[in-house]
């Protein structure tokens, strides 16, 4: 990729690092590709070599590029990127179209972690946690399908998932929820862009979130774990990671779940 399509630069070395870092996170350059040379960056952005070197040093420190004498700069593999670094996370929040592989990696982590987090939340949630979850869910429903408040809808969605991490009352998971927040925002913004014109999909997503809320409220760890997987199954559809048929709801409504449990106990 060339530098031509990138916007003009403002803000010193930090601003240049942000611009180039966001281009990397958006897939402008792929892992293994050669990154632009210092002199090319200086000429394109009309900045000093010292400013370019400082910006590149930031990208190296964040694991985004590698600089080797005689070879220049090369884009690192995504596995080397420091995605949970606060600076990288902050850059991701304002990217309109994050790299597709990056989104899949973030989603894969969430899919493996959040069902277990939801189970813990169902056991540990206190009244205040349930209030936060319900407020976020009601905010999602109130702003659903309204493009003029799509940003608010995404914020409520993020708040809902953050509340689940916090409801575990586990220090590590609470901190992980905070670190993941910008990455989750990026996923939600991408999936919401797909859902806005699709009323059925939006209603399905809300229904899945509602089942998750109810399972945590009822302190049903099994149902909460399954419902969290269903929520992420909807996200997988919206991100195009799986086909629709592969991620249909697997969680029975909570009321049905309790009915089945009662039958087995009698």
């Amino acid at each position: 990729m060339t530098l031509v399509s990138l916007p003009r630069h403002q803000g010193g070395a930090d601003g240049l690092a942000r611009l180039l870092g966001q281009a990397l996170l958006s897939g402008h350059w792929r892992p293994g590709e050669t990154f632009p040379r210092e002199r090319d960056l200086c000429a394109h952005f009309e900045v000093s070599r010292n400013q370019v070197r400082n910006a590149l040093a930031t990208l190296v420190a964040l694991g985004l590029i590698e600089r080797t004498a005689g070879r220049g700069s090369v884009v690192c593999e995504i596995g080397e990127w420091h995605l949970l670094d606060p600076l990288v996370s902050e850059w991701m929040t304002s990217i309109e179209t994050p790299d597709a592989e990056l989104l899949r990696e973030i989603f894969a982590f969430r899919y493996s972690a959040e069902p277990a987090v939801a189970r813990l939340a169902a056991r540990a949630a206190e009244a205040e946690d349930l209030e936060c979850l319900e407020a976020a869910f009601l905010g999602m429903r109130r702003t659903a399908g309204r493009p003029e408040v799509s940003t608010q809808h995404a914020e409520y969605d993020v708040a809902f998932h953050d509340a689940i991490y916090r409801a575990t009352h586990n220090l590590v998971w609470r901190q992980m929820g905070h670190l993941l927040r910008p990455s989750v925002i990026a996923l939600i913004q991408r999936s919401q862009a797909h859902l806005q014109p699709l009323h059925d999909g939006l209603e399905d997503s809300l229904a899945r979130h509602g089942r998750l809320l109810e399972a945590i409220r009822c302190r049903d760890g099994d149902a909460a774990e399954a419902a969290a997987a269903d929520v992420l199954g909807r996200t997988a559809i919206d991100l195009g990671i799986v086909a629709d048929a592969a991620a249909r709801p697997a969680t029975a409504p909570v009321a049905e779940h309790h009915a089945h449990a009662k039958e087995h106990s009698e």
Side-chain angles (χ1 to χ4, degrees), residues 21 23-32 59 61-65 74-85 88 92 99 101-102:
L24 285 161
L25 294 168
S26 298
H28 192 81
W29 292 284
R30 304 297 306 154
L59 299 183
L62 295 173
L64 296 173
I65 65 172
V74 176
V75 182
C76 295
E77 295 298 322
I78 287 181
E80 302 299 320
W81 297 3
H82 302 175
L83 297 177
L84 296 183
D85 185 284
V88 176
M92 286 188 63
D99 177 73
E101 183 181 351
L102 178 58

Side-chain angles (χ1 to χ4, degrees), residues 41 46 65 149 166 170 210 215 223:
L41 291 167
E46 299 179 350
I65 65 172
V149 290
R166 296 181 65 82
N170 176 276

Side-chain angles (χ1 to χ4, degrees), residues 112-261:
S112 65
E114 287 194 22
V117 172
R119 174 183 284 275
L120 290 173
R123 296 175 180 173
E126 298 178 355
E128 184 178 353
D129 301 312
L130 296 176
E131 289 176 5
C132 290
L133 272 169
E134 186 168 356
F137 178 72
L138 291 176
M140 288 174 63
R141 181 166 291 282
R142 188 169 60 251
T143 56
R146 297 170 55 192
E148 71 276 11
V149 290
S150 60
T151 299
Q152 291 181 36
H153 183 81
E155 289 173 352
Y156 282 124
D157 199 339
V158 172
F160 182 90
H161 292 278
D162 183 58
I164 294 175
Y165 278 89
R166 296 181 65 82
T168 65
H169 290 274
N170 176 276
L171 176 62
V172 176
W173 279 123
R174 287 168 68 97
Q175 289 296 313
M176 184 62 71
H178 175 72
L179 287 171
L180 282 173
R181 190 175 190 277
S183 301
V184 173
I185 289 174
L187 280 172
I188 288 172
Q189 288 175 334
R190 179 72 177 270
S191 62
Q192 290 303 326
H194 171 83
L195 278 177
Q196 285 299 336
L198 302 176
H199 179 74
D200 291 344
L202 191 57
E203 285 300 314
D204 179 50
S205 177
L206 286 170
R208 294 182 191 223
H209 281 79
R211 287 194 292 271
L212 177 53
L213 168 60
E214 188 62 20
I216 294 174
R217 180 187 286 126
C218 293
R219 301 194 178 282
D220 189 328
D222 290 340
E225 184 172 3
D230 275 349
V231 168
L232 291 167
R234 177 73 246 180
T235 301
I237 295 171
D238 303 331
L239 294 174
I241 295 173
V242 299
D244 197 333
R248 294 188 184 280
T251 306
V254 173
E256 292 181 16
H257 176 87
H258 286 300
H260 290 310

